[in-house]
Amino acid sequence: MATSQAERARPLHFHALPLLTMDVGSFADVPQDLLKEIETLEGLFTTDTEKLKQITEQFEKELTKGLSVEGGSIPMNPTWVMSYPTGYETGTYLALDMGGTNLRVCQITLTEAKSEFDIIQSKYRMPEELKTGEADELWEYIADCLMQFLETHHGDTSKLEKLPLGFTFSYPATQNYVDEGILQRWTKGFDIAGVEGHNVVPMFEAALAARGVPIKLSALINDTTGTLIASAYTDTKMKIGCIFGTGCNAAYMEDCGSIPKLAHLNLPPETPMAINCEWGAFDNEHKVLPRTPYDVTIDKDSPRPGQQAFEKMIAGLYLGEIFRLVMVDLHDNRDTHIFANQDISKLRKAYSLDSSFLSAIEEFVLPSAPDPFENLSETAELFQNKLDIRPSLPELELIRRTAELIGTRAARLSACGVAAISKKKGYETCHVGADGSVFNKYPQFKARGAAALREILDWPEKSDPKEDDPIEILAAEDGSGVGAALIAALTLQRVKDGNMHGILHPENFV
Ligand code: BGC
C-alpha cells in the first residue's frame, strides 16, 4: 500500500524498544507477533492519497445529489439563513445550545462596535438519562434551565419582555420554514421516542408556555451553521463551518439557483442559503469509505445501524470505542492475545473509553516530547488506573500506534469533506471555521487534516513553513452562542426588511 507523507511522519520505532529490560524468556516471540498485528492494523486504518481523492470525488457527487429533488444519503438541509453577517448587527439575544454533554444558555449583546459582542453564560449538565428518556422530560428540563438563567440574570421574569432566542439543536432536522425543524433522526447516542419525524419547535414552545418562560424562538439552528456565521462575523474569508466534536458535520453557503429541491419556491437564483450538510451520513451505502470490521461492529451495536457511516469513523463519540474494540479483539481473537492472563473486564465495557483517552495516549508521545518512547510509561499508568491492565512494553507500543492510526484516519477523512465542499464551490482559497473537542483537543488533528488537504488538492510543498495554506481550517468563533444570536438577528432583520421567505409564523418575528 502506498504510504502518504503524513502517514510516514511517525515511523515505527518498534526496534527501538528496550526489550532487554524485559523478561522476554517466556514470550520471546511476542514482538514478532505484535509487529504483524501492527502491520495488519496499518493496512486496515491507513488511507493513502489516492483513496482520499477517490472519497473526495464521491463526496462532491453526494453533496450535489443531496441538493437534488430526489435527494441522496447526505441530507443537505436548507437552513433559511440567507446572508452572511455584516459585522454591524446589534441587539440582545438569548442562545440555547443543547449539546451532548452540557446545556448552555447565553445572553449575547451584539454591540454597536463592528464585530463585537458581550456574553454572559451558564452551563447545566445534560443528565445522561435524558438522552434516552421521555421527550416531555427533555423539553421540561430545557425550559427549567432557561427559566433559571432568566431568574438569575434578570430577577423577576413576570415583567420581562419576551427575548428572542436562537436555539442550537445540533441534530439532522429539515426546515421547510425558519420556524420549523423536523427531526430526521437522533444522532450522537440520543434515542428519545416520539421526536423523530416530528417538528421539535411546537414541543419546545409548549414546554416554554407551560412554565411561562418569556422567550420567543427566532431561529432554530445547527451548530455548524452557527459556527459558519459566527466565524464570518469576524473574518470575511470564512466560507465553511465545521464541527469535529462528539459528532461531525459542516455547513456552507449555497446559491438558491443550485438547490433544485427548492426550485418550486422560485427564490432568486443568486440568493445565498446556508446548507447544513449533515455530512455524517456520507457513504451510508458503503461505496467508498474503507470500513474495518471494528467500524462494522460500532454501526451494528449503535442505536441507529446503517446511519452516520462517515461520522462513526471520525467523531469523538466513536474514536475511543474503535480503539477499545481493537484492543478487545487483539486480546480475545488474535494469535498474540495481548494482555494475556489479565482481567480485562473493565475494557470490555462498551463506550468506557472516550476520545480524551486516545488524546492522552497521543499527547504523551508527541514528536516534540524529549523522548516519546520514555513517555510510554504515562500510557502504562493510564491503562493501569483506568482499566486495571498492565501492558508490556511492546504492547504499549502497539497501543500508541493504534491510537495514532485511529486519530490519523479521522483527521484525514475529515479533510475529504472540506475538500469536497471547496471543490464543489470552486473555492481555491478560503478559511474554514472549525470547533469541537476533537478539533480543539486531539493532538495533531489540525496538522494531519491540513496535510491531507494538501495531498487531496495537490498543493505544492510550501517553500516557507510559515506560509498560509490556500484553504485553512482555523479555530472558529463561538457558533452556538454568538452564531445563534447572529442568526436570530439576521432573521429578525430580514423579516423587518420584508423578506418573508420560509416564515411560517410571522407573528413571532415582530
Ligand atoms: C449531528 C449534526 C451536528 C454534528 C456536530 C451530528 O451528529 O447530526 O447535526 O452538526 O453532530 O455536532
Side-chain angles (χ1 to χ4, degrees), residues 170-172 187-188 222-224 243 247-249 278 308 311:
S170 302
Y171 306 88
T187 54
K188 296 182 281 201
N222 184 263
D223 49 2
T224 53
I243 300 288
C248 114
N249 187 17
E278 288 297 337
Q308 303 296 94
E311 175 163 272

Side-chain angles (χ1 to χ4, degrees), residues 460-474:
E461 281 304 317
K462 289 185 196 185
S463 45
D464 173 359
K466 287 202 213 92
E467 210 177 284
D468 288 342
D469 287 340
I471 298 176
E472 283 204 292
I473 310 181
L474 304 168

Side-chain angles (χ1 to χ4, degrees), residues 77 97-100 168-173 183-189 221-225 242-251 276-281 308 311 315 317-318 435-436:
N77 293 330
D97 181 10
M98 186 189 132
T168 306
F169 182 72
S170 302
Y171 306 88
L183 178 68
Q184 290 160 305
R185 62 185 172 278
W186 286 115
T187 54
K188 296 182 281 201
I221 73 160
N222 184 263
D223 49 2
T224 53
T225 321
C242 291
I243 300 288
F244 303 111
T246 308
C248 114
N249 187 17
N276 162 21
C277 302
E278 288 297 337
W279 76 15
Q308 303 296 94
E311 175 163 272
L317 179 59
Y318 306 102
D435 208 344

Side-chain angles (χ1 to χ4, degrees), residues 90-390:
T90 53
T92 295
Y93 306 87
L94 293 175
L96 163 71
D97 181 10
M98 186 189 132
T101 345
N102 290 313
L103 200 88
R104 186 166 72 120
V105 183
C106 316
Q107 180 172 308
I108 298 107
T109 303
L110 304 171
T111 59
E112 296 289 331
K114 184 168 191 282
S115 304
E116 287 191 12
F117 57 88
D118 295 325
I119 184 164
I120 46 174
Q121 59 174 325
S122 297
K123 277 191 181 168
Y124 305 86
R125 199 177 65 84
M126 185 78 189
E128 211 45 49
E129 322 78 78
L130 274 190
K131 297 184 193 170
T132 51
E134 298 295 319
D136 286 351
E137 288 169 9
L138 173 77
W139 303 120
E140 282 160 17
Y141 181 76
I142 296 176
D144 283 344
C145 292
L146 279 167
M147 193 61 155
Q148 207 177 310
F149 180 88
L150 291 178
E151 282 167 357
T152 309
H153 297 286
H154 293 272
D156 181 6
T157 55
S158 61
K159 291 182 196 72
L160 204 61
E161 210 180 296
K162 280 192 173 183
L163 284 164
L165 171 85
F167 177 16
T168 306
F169 182 72
S170 302
Y171 306 88
T174 47
Q175 289 186 278
N176 294 319
Y177 300 95
V178 173
D179 35 358
E180 175 196 270
I182 297 170
L183 178 68
Q184 290 160 305
R185 62 185 172 278
W186 286 115
T187 54
K188 296 182 281 201
F190 273 71
D191 190 10
I192 302 171
V195 190
E196 279 171 325
H198 295 276
N199 184 0
V200 297
V201 174
M203 302 188 199
F204 173 63
E205 284 180 332
L208 294 181
R211 279 168 173 61
V213 189
I215 280 175
K216 57 180 177 198
L217 183 69
S218 303
L220 186 72
I221 73 160
N222 184 263
D223 49 2
T224 53
T225 321
T227 298
L228 170 66
I229 296 301
S231 302
Y233 187 54
T234 53
D235 176 355
T236 50
K237 283 183 80 184
M238 285 287 176
K239 300 290 178 217
I240 302 174
C242 291
I243 300 288
F244 303 111
T246 308
C248 114
N249 187 17
Y252 74 102
M253 207 56 102
E254 191 50 271
D255 316 311
C256 287
S258 304
I259 313 176
K261 63 183 176 186
L262 290 188
H264 62 287
L265 299 174
N266 291 320
L267 299 163
E270 281 83 41
T271 306
M273 172 74 80
I275 298 291
N276 162 21
C277 302
E278 288 297 337
W279 76 15
F282 170 61
D283 206 37
N284 277 352
E285 51 289 271
H286 310 314
K287 280 193 191 147
V288 68
L289 290 174
R291 291 171 96 212
T292 68
Y294 310 109
D295 300 307
V296 174
T297 305
I298 293 255
D299 185 44
K300 186 166 61 64
D301 296 344
S302 74
R304 296 288 178 280
Q307 309 281 356
Q308 303 296 94
F310 186 59
E311 175 163 272
K312 284 171 176 159
M313 296 169 90
I314 293 178
L317 179 59
Y318 306 102
L319 296 183
E321 181 64 2
I322 300 173
F323 173 85
R324 192 191 68 80
L325 289 171
V326 173
M327 293 295 125
V328 172
D329 185 37
L330 291 178
H331 173 85
D332 286 350
N333 305 323
R334 322 293 289 200
D335 294 341
T336 43
H337 293 298
I338 60 167
F339 317 138
N341 304 322
Q342 297 198 51
D343 172 9
I344 69 151
S345 49
K346 286 200 172 158
L347 183 68
R348 289 199 188 282
K349 190 163 177 283
Y351 288 91
S352 52
L353 305 180
D354 61 20
S355 59
S356 66
F357 190 84
L358 286 203
S359 293
I361 297 172
E362 288 230 58
E363 194 80 58
F364 299 145
V365 291
L366 277 180
S368 55
D371 180 350
F373 297 97
E374 290 263 303
N375 292 349
L376 283 176
S377 60
E378 318 249 6
T379 302
E381 253 171 58
L382 197 66
F383 263 70
Q384 171 89 60
N385 295 342
K386 173 96 188 161
L387 301 166
D388 279 338
I389 291 175
R390 274 166 290 99

Side-chain angles (χ1 to χ4, degrees), residues 444-508:
Q444 302 202 77
F445 187 85
K446 295 177 196 143
R448 288 167 177 166
L453 215 47
R454 175 168 297 277
E455 290 169 43
I456 300 168
L457 298 173
D458 287 317
W459 295 332
E461 281 304 317
K462 289 185 196 185
S463 45
D464 173 359
K466 287 202 213 92
E467 210 177 284
D468 288 342
D469 287 340
I471 298 176
E472 283 204 292
I473 310 181
L474 304 168
E477 296 295 332
D478 168 16
S480 58
V482 181
L486 280 165
I487 291 175
L490 290 172
T491 309
L492 291 171
Q493 186 59 47
R494 85 168 164 88
V495 171
K496 220 190 227 170
D497 296 344
N499 175 351
M500 303 302 284
H501 290 306
I503 306 283
L504 185 59
H505 294 293
E507 66 278 10
N508 284 343

